[in-house]
Structures are given as C-alpha cells and as structure tokens.
C-alpha cells in the first residue's frame, strides 16, 4: 500500500463518508434520486485517490537520446 499525502487522505475520508451516507439511505428506504448521488460521488472520490499523480509521470513516449561518446 502506498503512502497518501494529506489532501489524498481528506478526499478518501470524504469519499468513504459519502459512500456510507449513500448505503444508509438505500437501506432506510430513501428515494433513488436521494441516496444515489451520495453513493456515486463517494465512490468516485475514493477511486480518484488511487489515480497516479502528475509528479509520477514516467514519460513512456519520450524519445531517449543516443549516448554520446
């Protein structure tokens, strides 16, 4: 498991909270349009945390220069 910075931890916590609110609404009989936005947004925020950051770009499509002797 990788280490998360503070902003990633906050987004993860908000996502988990949104998912819990969505599941709570589902099982307490809320209308679909009431609970689904919370659940969908929460799960999306959790997914976003695991996307690679722009700092970790590996440069797959960059050309390597030939080593000069």
């Amino acid at each position: 498991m990788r280490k998360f910075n503070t902003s990633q931890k906050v987004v993860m916590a908000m996502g988990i909270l949104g998912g819990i609110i969505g599941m709570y609404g589902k099982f307490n009989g809320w209308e679909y349009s009431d609970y689904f936005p919370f659940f969908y947004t929460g799960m999306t925020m959790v997914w976003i945390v695991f996307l690679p950051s722009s700092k970790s770009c590996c440069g797959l499509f960059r050309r390597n220069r030939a080593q000069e002797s």
Side-chain angles (χ1 to χ4, degrees), residues 16-52:
I16 291 171
L17 182 63
I20 290 171
I21 291 171
M23 286 190 289
Y24 175 79
K26 168 121 175 106
F27 293 115
N28 276 340
W30 293 4
E31 293 285 327
Y32 179 79
S33 62
D34 291 338
Y35 75 83
F36 188 73
F38 286 106
F39 180 75
Y40 182 77
T41 305
M43 293 301 104
T44 302
M45 291 175 86
V46 170
W47 175 74
I48 287 172
V49 171
F50 292 99
L51 291 175

Side-chain angles (χ1 to χ4, degrees), residues 58-66:
C58 61
L60 290 175
F61 299 106
R62 293 184 186 167
R63 291 186 174 189
N64 293 333
R65 293 186 179 182

Side-chain angles (χ1 to χ4, degrees), residues 5-15 45 49:
N5 62 27
T6 305
S7 62
Q8 287 173 316
K9 290 177 186 175
V10 169
V11 171
M12 173 82 87
M14 290 171 52
M45 291 175 86
V49 171

